[in-house]
Amino acid sequence: GSAYRPILLLSYAAQWWIHGRVPEAFHLVNVLLHIGATLLLGGVLLRARVPPSAAALATLFFAVAPIHVEAVTSLVGRGETLAAVFSLAFLFVALGAGEETPRPGRVLAALLCYGLGILTKESAAVAPGLLLLLLAYRESGTLVSRFVAALRRGWPVFAGAALVLAGTVGLRSWVLGGLLRAPGVGIFEVENPLAGLPWPSRAVNASLILLRYAGRALFPAHLSADESAWSIRPGTALFPLGIAAAALLLVLAALALARLSSGSAVALGVLFFGVAFLPTANVLYPIGTIFGERIAYLPSAGLCLALGSAFTGGAAGVSSLSPAARRTALGIAILFSLRTITRNAVWWSDSSVFANSLATAPGSAKAHYNQAYVFAEAGRWAEAFRHYSRAVAIYSDYWDAWAGKGRMEKELGRLHDSEASYRRALAANPWYENGYFGLGLALEAQGRLPEAEETYRLGLRHNKDSLPLVYRRALVLSRQDAPGAGQAWNRALALGPLSAAVHADRAEWLLSKGFPAQAATEARAALRIDPNSSTAWRVLARRWMAAAADRPLAAALALEKACRSSRDAEDLRALERLVEANPEYGPRLERVRPALLRAIAQPSSSPLAR
């Protein structure tokens, strides 16, 4: 993959171990992390000797900033909040160490926070740069003398941080097999269309997007959970607007550096925003996304500081502010809070966040793809088809969307169209496992079993350990009574020893080949994994109805289990046929028939058939 974040994963695992699938508990921890980050930010600003009034307003604005909703409310946003907590803790401890001759204990504590931050999310690597900036602000004199004094005062922390960074980068490279990502892992153009651009074009596009982040943080009227391709359309050349954005950022950085020498907290905030964004701005190197509000979590602290400082005018405390400044700052905090409350409601469910993404970014292929997913899960095939179609119209090489479109066409009975869509998915990505899987299913549905088997076999050339492809190939070979079926089932069992479907369908094949005892053993193995495996229950029923082991009541009970789990009327008809041969089962069938009919009336979904 492209990420090595063991501390983040450990936080999820620890919570799962404690309380399991309780989303409210995960949300609670995210909120507590945000509270911790907010308090640490206030402490960091005070230790950097930012005027208390500016520090207080910056902390208030950070606490209620609407752009933080994605990072705090969304469970996957924890990477930002937890990394920010460790980064701010590093700054808090290191700034304390810088007030005097650094003590080894405090330096080691700061370095521990730094290491934990990098192992939570790699963007935390920028924390020593933020420390240098804060130490320089705290010093006096010219700009150069401030940074020289900052380096002199903080050198033990900087030297230690360099070793920690080298160690974590080495660990990451060892685990992933590459410095930034594993070999063969790229960046999907839908997620970040800047990734394929040459550096000059990517840099000017990223500059324009950085200004978009600033606008979202300070004027959060328009917020969106998804602005991937092609809601944000990059310029492929050095277009004027991008060049203007890059020039504006350079001018702002130069002005902020000049003002830093006079102790301007506004300048500190602007520089903090820029430095904190360096790892994720797509300027130095492309990252996995073109834009994500959660990424602005820590950098936005700089803008909150700049905004708060703009109201203070050098006042020592909030009480020293003019009444107009206090009223304006309070008004902004209230507006931010109201926007945050309304924005939180968007993140209550997948359906609400995907619907909002579509409303706020209708030009995003991914927004249409996500909305199609929600409709598909609800069985609303026609609506899902419409959004998958729109996604591929926006981005013609969106292989996941082509596969989704193919699945919906299969559900709607448009098998030839389904086949064509899956072939388009494979044309866009010849290694796409789900493309081969879906194309094979479409061919199976048309009765073209030899072609389906060939499709699965071709897919296995690119995905040799794909259990779904091996499993479907074994099924197709079995249905054709073709040579190699037994070998295919052995391979499927080796890849999926804990797959109930593999055990159950292998049992069915064994029974058809005249091995009832082995079939019963496989069926029982399937039921140990999944007691509701309808295929396994049917195998046992057929085994118990065989002439050598005539056990009609046991067979009937097995068919009842199959009917309840499969919700298939054919299982009920099999029970009715069994009564004709064994009338003594009739009274029981009449007692259980209403419950079986209710089970059959419920919708059924089998992911292996998709």
Side-chain angles (χ1 to χ4, degrees):
S2 59
Y4 177 62
R5 301 168 183 174
I7 300 301
L8 174 61
L9 295 180
L10 182 62
S11 76
Y12 290 134
Q15 279 197 258
W16 186 273
W17 179 74
I18 293 170
H19 53 69
R21 193 188 296 269
V22 182
E24 293 80 5
F26 287 99
H27 284 297
L28 175 61
V29 171
N30 279 18
V31 172
L32 292 175
L33 288 171
H34 178 56
I35 293 172
T38 302
L39 295 175
L40 281 168
L41 174 63
V44 165
L45 295 179
L46 290 175
R47 284 198 168 183
R49 298 175 191 162
V50 170
S53 58
L57 288 182
T59 305
L60 173 62
F61 293 150
F62 184 84
V64 298
I67 200 171
H68 294 165
V69 170
E70 181 174 337
V72 178
T73 305
S74 169
L75 297 187
V76 297
R78 181 177 298 182
E80 307 299 334
T81 54
L82 185 56
V85 165
F86 285 129
S87 296
L88 291 168
F90 163 79
L91 294 174
F92 183 78
V93 176
L95 284 169
E99 291 177 351
E100 53 193 48
T101 301
R103 289 177 290 181
R106 301 187 76 172
V107 173
L108 289 175
L111 296 179
L112 174 63
C113 293
Y114 182 52
L116 292 173
I118 298 175
L119 294 176
T120 298
K121 192 174 182 188
E122 48 281 351
S123 57
V126 78
L130 297 174
L131 175 63
L132 178 63
L133 181 63
L134 293 167
L135 286 173
Y137 172 81
R138 201 167 66 178
E139 298 293 337
S140 57
T142 64
L143 183 64
V144 173
S145 64
R146 282 173 179 261
F147 278 101
V148 171
L151 287 170
R152 185 183 301 116
R153 188 180 296 275
W155 75 263
V157 179
F158 294 129
L163 294 176
V164 170
L165 180 60
T168 54
V169 168
L171 178 62
R172 174 189 175 89
S173 299
W174 177 69
V175 172
L176 297 180
L179 184 61
L180 294 179
R181 55 186 61 88
V185 175
I187 297 174
F188 192 16
E189 190 179 15
V190 165
E191 301 287 355
N192 188 1
L194 300 184
L197 297 181
W199 181 81
S201 295
R202 189 180 74 243
V204 296
N205 277 284
S207 299
L208 192 59
I209 290 171
L210 200 61
L211 294 177
R212 181 188 291 248
Y213 276 117
R216 292 281 177 92
L218 297 174
F219 307 99
H222 176 91
L223 296 172
S224 177
D226 177 40
E227 294 206 41
S228 49
W230 296 97
S231 179
I232 298 177
R233 291 191 172 272
T236 55
L238 299 179
F239 62 110
L241 188 59
I243 294 174
L248 176 60
L249 289 177
L250 289 174
V251 169
L252 288 174
L255 291 175
L257 283 170
R259 291 286 295 157
L260 190 68
S261 60
S262 62
S264 168
V266 173
L268 175 64
V270 171
L271 292 171
F272 189 103
F273 172 77
V275 172
F277 244 127
L278 279 177
T280 54
N282 280 302
V283 174
L284 302 179
Y285 48 81
I287 65 169
T289 183
I290 186 173
F291 186 93
E293 290 167 9
R294 65 188 180 279
I295 295 173
Y297 184 76
L298 181 59
S300 69
L303 294 180
C304 291
L305 174 59
L307 181 62
S309 301
F311 286 101
T312 62
V318 175
S319 60
S320 304
L321 298 179
S322 67
R326 287 200 300 269
R327 285 194 297 270
T328 304
L330 179 61
I332 291 174
I334 292 173
L335 289 174
F336 274 15
S337 299
L338 292 174
R339 183 68 178 106
T340 295
I341 292 170
T342 59
R343 185 63 185 164
N344 263 282
V346 169
W347 287 89
W348 285 348
S349 67
D350 283 349
S351 58
S352 62
V353 72
F354 291 160
N356 179 264
S357 297
L358 190 61
T360 54
S364 166
K366 188 178 177 182
H368 284 279
Y369 176 86
N370 289 336
Q371 187 63 64
Y373 168 82
V374 170
F375 285 139
E377 288 298 297
R380 297 162 64 177
W381 316 127
E383 292 163 284
F385 167 77
R386 178 165 56 86
H387 284 286
Y388 280 130
S389 298
R390 179 59 183 150
V392 297
I394 294 172
Y395 178 55
S396 60
D397 285 336
Y398 200 164
W399 56 81
D400 279 327
W402 279 115
K405 180 173 176 283
R407 182 190 154 203
M408 294 306 98
E409 287 163 336
K410 179 176 177 292
E411 297 287 357
L412 293 168
R414 298 163 53 179
L415 297 180
H416 291 292
D417 290 340
S418 174
E419 176 187 347
S421 291
Y422 280 116
R423 292 192 186 279
R424 285 294 302 270
L426 291 172
N429 182 0
W431 291 268
Y432 185 37
E433 178 187 15
N434 195 41
Y436 291 103
F437 183 77
L439 176 57
L441 289 178
L443 294 170
E444 284 186 56
Q446 297 176 61
R448 295 156 61 184
L449 297 186
E451 292 175 74
E453 189 274 330
E454 173 63 21
T455 297
Y456 296 135
R457 191 167 59 83
L458 182 59
L460 286 168
R461 291 181 185 174
H462 300 294
N463 307 274
K464 62 184 180 66
D465 292 327
S466 168
L467 175 58
L469 296 178
V470 170
Y471 167 75
R472 294 307 306 186
R473 181 169 180 264
L475 278 175
V476 169
L477 288 172
S478 299
R479 290 169 185 169
Q480 297 178 92
D481 198 21
Q487 184 179 3
W489 280 120
N490 291 337
R491 175 65 173 155
L493 198 59
L495 289 173
L498 298 180
S499 168
V502 169
H503 283 284
D505 285 311
R506 184 170 186 265
E508 193 169 45
W509 173 74
L510 286 168
L511 192 63
S512 71
K513 301 300 288 184
F515 300 104
Q518 296 94 320
T521 299
E522 284 292 334
R524 292 189 184 98
L527 292 171
R528 283 193 293 271
I529 300 168
D530 178 11
N532 294 316
S533 172
S534 57
T535 301
W537 284 117
R538 291 190 197 106
V539 168
L540 290 178
R542 289 165 56 193
R543 161 69 171 150
W544 290 329
M545 285 188 293
D550 191 12
R551 298 168 58 188
L553 182 57
L557 293 176
L559 281 174
E560 286 181 20
K561 291 277 193 178
C563 186
R564 292 177 189 275
S565 57
S566 70
R567 302 169 188 170
D568 190 342
E570 183 56 38
D571 288 322
L572 180 57
R573 286 191 286 271
L575 282 169
E576 292 168 345
R577 290 192 295 271
L578 189 146
V579 170
E580 295 174 3
N582 301 275
E584 65 273 16
Y585 174 66
R588 174 174 172 81
L589 179 58
E590 292 308 312
R591 289 196 304 273
V592 301
R593 185 192 297 274
L596 296 178
L597 289 172
R598 286 195 297 272
I600 292 170
Q602 297 177 13
S604 176
S605 178
S606 173
L608 286 174
R610 291 178 180 176

